[in-house]
Amino acid sequence: MTGRICGTGFCVPHRVMDNEELARMVETSDEWIRERTGIAKRRIITEETTVSMAAEAAKQALADAGIAAEQVELIMTATISSNVILPCAACEVQKEIGALSAACFDINAACCGFLTAYQTAQAYIEAGIYQTILIIGSESLSKLTDWKDRGTCILFGDGAGAAVLKAGEGEGFRSILHSDGGRGEALTCSGKHWKSGEDDTGFMKMDGREVFQFAVKRVPEVIREVLELNHCSLEEIDYFVVHQANRRIIESVARRLGTDVQKFPMNLQDYGNTSSASIPILLAELRRNGTLKKGDRILMAGFGAGLSWGAGIADWGI
Ligand code: ACO
């Protein structure tokens, strides 16, 4: 048995923050941000929350799959920006959508969160434990952003994406995840401001250059590794759905693989880096705009805090 994606959905906040608005807050410019990152705007929560966006994305994914919420056996929400520490976001989503039979837990793996949920879902399905699983990536990174730090505040955005996996006959693909905790200092967030409401020492802190260099080396490596593991060639992949952090990172990955960058769809120009939500938002958009067609083979790749990175392959079945 293997898990097949049979529905996707996404939800982003209605408030748009463009680069010009950021340039009024910190010393930066639209030109610099576009040139260095490819990002033109991002969505920022107002009344939305990590849970409300996750629940909306989940409802859309279930409707797309034609599956009732009561049929879902497991909900995994990947997030680093949950509304509260307890209960977990997945339980809150369960309540919102009425998935009364589901077991629920969250995954804290930053930008690899959705891939981690995907690999975990596959393992549950292959083991015969669950047949219908909802996986979500949802983030309100604006809560963790230091709006005075131009090195980070230009990068991030809020949003959620979801996918439904259903058990199907046949053999699937093996995913790969790696971590190097020794390099964790490159991207941290203590979250201390959650307690005080004032203390800004708890925001995300990042060594941008180190993360950049890590990503352009490790992502092509793990893409080759997952292809080899699954006896698949680069040419057999129709689309590379890579974590949407920075256009230059994605272009460099394409160059290092010797693959046409047209095979690397991007939406970071509209949403910025939404961490665990970036891959499922992109999948849902590609599904909605008709880019992804039944039978397409996709390769998903993520990287981020931990430091962690990974990749997985899927045949698009809807
Ligand atoms: N506006 C204008 N100037 C800026 C800005 C800004 N927003 N930010 C930095 N600068 C300046 C720096 O101060 C520096 O000036 P200096 O040369 O006088 O010292 C200059 O621009 C170059 O700075 P760099 O940090 O070298 O710029 P770089 O080209 O590396 O771009 C960036 C910085 C965009 C952060 C890049 O390093 C990057 O994207 N790194 C990867 C970050 C990432 O993807 N993180 C998330 C992954 S994990 C996750 O998603 C949670």
Side-chain angles (χ1 to χ4, degrees), residues 46-47 52 78 130 197 215 217 225 235 245 255 260 265 277 284 288:
T46 48
E47 73 276 10
S52 74
Y130 299 120
K217 180 168 186 292
E225 192 184 348
E235 293 69 34
R255 239 184 351 261
D260 187 350
R288 191 179 282 183

Side-chain angles (χ1 to χ4, degrees), residues 26-29 32-33 36-37 80 110-112 141 149-156 186-187 204 206-215 243-249 273-276 278 303-305 307-308:
V26 289
E27 204 183 324
T28 189
S29 66
W32 193 95
I33 301 171
R36 297 297 177 110
T37 70
I80 54 165
C111 306
C112 286
L141 297 179
D149 175 13
R150 68 177 183 172
T152 53
C153 75
I154 57 156
L155 299 172
F156 300 109
L187 181 47
M204 281 189 283
M206 184 181 65
D207 181 335
R209 270 182 218 186
E210 182 166 351
V211 176
F212 193 100
Q213 280 158 14
F214 145 76
H243 171 46
Q244 301 288 294
N246 184 316
R247 175 182 291 279
R248 287 189 299 141
I249 292 177
N273 175 350
T274 56
S275 190
S276 69
S278 90
F303 59 92
L307 296 176
S308 294

Side-chain angles (χ1 to χ4, degrees), residues 27-183:
E27 204 183 324
T28 189
S29 66
D30 176 49
E31 192 191 358
W32 193 95
I33 301 171
R34 280 178 197 261
E35 193 191 304
R36 297 297 177 110
T37 70
I39 299 166
K41 53 193 174 193
R42 69 285 294 141
R43 301 297 183 99
I44 301 293
I45 54 166
T46 48
E47 73 276 10
E48 301 91 350
T49 67
T50 296
V51 167
S52 74
M53 293 186 294
E56 176 54 31
K59 282 181 198 164
Q60 286 179 21
L62 288 170
D64 188 29
I67 286 173
E70 299 77 34
Q71 292 172 259
V72 175
E73 295 162 294
L74 175 65
I75 302 173
M76 283 180 278
T77 302
T79 185
I80 54 165
S81 49
S82 186
N83 293 10
V84 290
I85 291 171
L86 298 173
C88 70
C91 278
E92 297 278 276
V93 170
Q94 175 196 35
K95 185 173 68 181
E96 290 290 314
I97 67 173
L100 303 178
S101 322
C104 303
F105 61 87
D106 287 357
I107 286 178
N108 179 341
C111 306
C112 286
F114 184 79
L115 264 180
T116 307
Y118 179 77
Q119 190 191 45
T120 308
Q122 291 292 5
Y124 273 118
I125 288 171
E126 280 169 29
I129 298 171
Y130 299 120
Q131 274 78 52
T132 307
I133 300 179
L134 176 60
I135 57 176
I136 306 167
S138 186
E139 303 289 3
S140 305
L141 297 179
S142 57
K143 291 192 304 188
L144 308 176
T145 299
D146 180 352
W147 292 100
K148 293 189 219 82
D149 175 13
R150 68 177 183 172
T152 53
C153 75
I154 57 156
L155 299 172
F156 300 109
D158 301 333
V164 179
L165 266 76
K166 225 176 150 28
E169 294 300 327
E171 227 182 286
F173 300 98
R174 301 240 154 248
S175 303
I176 294 175
L177 290 169
H178 293 296
S179 294
D180 178 0
R183 294 175 73 188

Side-chain angles (χ1 to χ4, degrees), residues 21 72 142 159 189 192 262 300:
E21 186 176 344
V72 175
S142 57
C189 179
K192 279 182 195 150
Q262 296 301 325
M300 299 172 278

